[in-house]
Amino acid sequence: MAFQVTTAVRKMLALGGTKKVIQGSTSSGKTYGIIPILIDKCLTRARLKCTVVAETFPALKDGAIDIFKNFMADEGRWSDSQWNGTDFQYTFKNGSKLQFKSFDSVGKAKASGKRDILFINEANHVDWAIADALIIRSNEVWLDFNADMEFWAHTEILTQPDATFLKLTYLDNEGIPDAVLSNLMQRKEKAEAEERSGVLGYWWNWWQVYGLGEIGRLQEAVYPRWEVVDEKPERFTRFIYGLDFGFQHPSALTRVWFWEDELFVEEVIYESGLTSSQLIQRMKSKGVETSIEIMCDYARPEMINDLADAGFYVLNADKSVEKGINFINEMRVLVHKDSVNIQRENRLYKRKTINGQITEHIDKKNDDAMDAIRYAGAEIKEIHYSGATYSSF
């Protein structure tokens, strides 16, 4: 597919300043526009060093690297011989290099050296100390993000005289797929319904950030109150398990059913003080299938090994907190009436408040079943909702 020069791309090309801060909605074409702009800079200037950074390497692979490879292939520019799959770096014929990196410490960020251009993708997920160590060693800086809350780009970068700001929305992206636009409009309707009711809840806040590109506000309750039902609706026919290990805290095993934009959750085990052998015994007595995925907290590898030796299909969970929470919040969630611990945690699962301000950090007091549900939800999103409806967000 040929690259489309959208309104978003034209606006980004017109930005001045050495630090370009691009805040926007989902599907506004931020990253899809910045990557080609960086490629063009590499092609037109010899020996340019350009670094693309994200919070984690999986985030890079699923986002910026995928966009880069697809664009280069679509434009007939890709050459396997110029791609270093070990260092994740592409060397252009004029000697310019485009590299993809993530950093988990300030020291590693400093050790990466100087560069001509830095692009921090989803900058709100990158720690300020790491970002600062990279920015100070870069001649030109690009940042993009969905502003679910104010962060260092607003307080540290936009206060500098060489910074410029651009806000984009999906309306700036003429290339938005019809299916994605249709899904956005459904979410807009939910936000408008909340506004009409006078309750500015999850969907209203979601639309402010991901529809309008505005700065959102964190809400103390992580999830809305889920609907309690007497029985599992017949439409739910597929499920996986989520398992959060504990000892003083409960070990929580949850069964998470999924159907279209709905989840049905129920607790299977919720008990403190369980050893591996006791947990295995409980799972067998509850009829936990050995053929169904159990997404586990990988902080306890010895427990996972014991469960695997007992024949259970255990896998390391994706523990990305916000990604899992966002997916679950996009779904309608039903809870079995007998799952009293899930219901209790659902009510009490909140973000920490410090000096009267709600922070992005989760209070860890009531999170055992919530973590287990999130582990299952992350796998459901990855495997079963990888189409345009969800992957675009």
Side-chain angles (χ1 to χ4, degrees), residues 15-144:
L15 279 174
T18 58
K19 298 183 179 73
K20 307 170 198 298
V21 179
I22 302 162
Q23 173 179 311
S25 73
T26 187
S27 302
S28 60
K30 301 183 298 298
T31 311
Y32 280 89
I34 294 172
I35 292 294
I37 290 173
L38 299 183
I39 291 171
D40 185 64
K41 288 176 179 286
C42 287
L43 288 168
T44 55
R45 287 176 55 187
R47 295 194 221 0
L48 196 73
K49 181 181 178 182
C50 180
T51 307
V52 180
V53 174
E55 177 190 21
T56 65
F57 201 78
L60 272 175
K61 288 182 69 176
D62 293 341
I65 292 176
D66 190 51
I67 292 170
F68 170 72
K69 287 184 173 181
N70 287 337
F71 175 84
M72 292 288 284
D74 290 344
E75 295 294 309
R77 296 183 180 275
W78 178 264
S79 171
D80 287 335
S81 64
Q82 293 170 244
W83 174 249
N84 184 324
T86 301
D87 295 335
F88 291 90
Q89 176 174 283
Y90 194 90
T91 302
F92 295 85
K93 292 181 179 179
N94 63 359
S96 290
K97 300 179 186 296
L98 184 59
Q99 57 184 201
F100 298 86
K101 292 182 175 292
S102 65
F103 300 93
D104 57 10
S105 73
V106 175
K108 292 178 182 178
K110 290 179 178 178
S112 67
K114 296 182 179 181
R115 64 198 55 81
D116 298 288
I117 302 175
L118 171 70
F119 169 33
I120 305 182
N121 180 220
E122 297 184 344
N124 53 324
H125 295 157
V126 175
D127 183 77
W128 163 240
I130 291 174
D132 186 41
L134 296 169
I135 290 170
I136 202 170
R137 293 168 173 80
S138 307
N139 297 327
E140 181 180 333
V141 178
W142 293 72
L143 311 173
D144 77 351

Side-chain angles (χ1 to χ4, degrees), residues 252-290:
L253 178 67
T254 60
R255 188 183 290 115
V256 180
W257 301 76
F258 54 98
W259 180 82
E260 294 190 357
D261 61 351
E262 295 181 302
L263 300 176
F264 173 77
V265 298
E266 52 186 344
E267 62 190 60
V268 182
I269 297 170
Y270 192 93
E271 187 175 349
S272 302
L274 293 180
T275 64
S276 291
S277 59
Q278 290 171 327
L279 177 59
I280 289 167
Q281 183 182 33
R282 299 289 195 282
M283 291 169 67
K284 289 181 176 179
S285 68
K286 295 286 186 178
V288 175
E289 299 85 349
T290 57

